[in-house]
Amino acid sequence: MKDYNKDNIKLAKSLRKNLTPWERKLWYDFLKSHPIRFQRQKAIGNYIVDFYCAKAKLAIELDGGGHYEEEQKEKDEARTKELEKMNLKVIRFCNTDIDRNFYAVCEHIDKTVKSRVDF
C-alpha cells in the first residue's frame, strides 16, 4: 500500500460522493467492472488521484479546462513527477476525450493495465 497524507482522507471521501460527469462515466461505464481492481479518488502521498490501480501501479487523471492554464499545467507536471517517483505510471485524459473518444480512452487504459500486469 502506498503512503498517504491522512489529512486527505476526508476530502477523498467527499470527492467520491461528488464525481464530475466525466469521472462518473469512466467509473460506472468502464473502470468499476474492469477485471483488475481500480479505486476512485485515492489518496497517494500528498495527492488524491482520480483513479488508481494498485496492481498495475497506474494513476489516471481526468483534466477539465482549468488544467490547460499555464499555472495549473506546471502544478500537474510537478504532481506527475512526484507520482512517478513512487513508481507509478500516470496517464491523463481531458474531459473532451471522455465525451468524444470514450471507447479509445477505455482501450488505452486497458492496454496500459495489461502491459503492466501479468495475467
Side-chain angles (χ1 to χ4, degrees):
M1 182 162 76
K2 294 282 182 201
D3 290 333
Y4 61 91
N5 180 340
K6 290 177 177 55
D7 293 336
N8 282 338
I9 297 303
K10 187 175 181 179
L11 177 58
K13 286 180 180 181
S14 174
L15 291 170
R16 276 183 222 121
K17 292 177 182 177
N18 298 295
L19 296 173
T20 68
W22 303 277
E23 290 168 341
R24 183 175 307 285
K25 179 171 180 59
L26 186 59
W27 177 250
Y28 286 106
D29 294 352
F30 183 66
L31 295 176
K32 184 178 180 184
S33 60
H34 195 277
I36 305 296
R37 181 174 184 250
F38 276 87
Q39 295 171 276
R40 56 193 167 138
Q41 305 302 334
K42 175 72 175 164
I44 300 175
N46 287 317
Y47 303 104
I48 299 172
V49 299
D50 292 332
F51 301 101
Y52 175 65
C53 177
K55 196 166 188 178
K57 297 179 182 173
L58 175 65
I60 300 170
E61 295 283 82
L62 299 186
D63 296 337
H67 288 266
Y68 300 99
E69 295 175 12
E70 197 56 41
E71 183 178 338
Q72 188 60 46
K73 283 171 57 175
E74 290 172 10
K75 287 180 182 179
D76 287 344
E77 287 174 18
R79 173 187 175 102
T80 295
K81 286 178 184 175
E82 285 298 312
L83 293 168
E84 288 173 343
K85 286 180 187 175
M86 295 180 221
N87 200 28
L88 296 178
K89 167 105 175 132
V90 179
I91 55 178
R92 293 181 170 279
F93 299 99
C94 65
N95 291 342
T96 306
D97 291 333
I98 301 298
D99 286 337
R100 296 184 184 166
N101 301 306
F102 186 70
Y103 179 79
V105 167
C106 296
E107 189 173 76
H108 181 73
I109 293 168
D110 193 53
K111 285 181 181 180
T112 303
V113 170
K114 288 178 178 173
S115 74
R116 299 178 61 83
V117 173
D118 293 327
F119 281 93

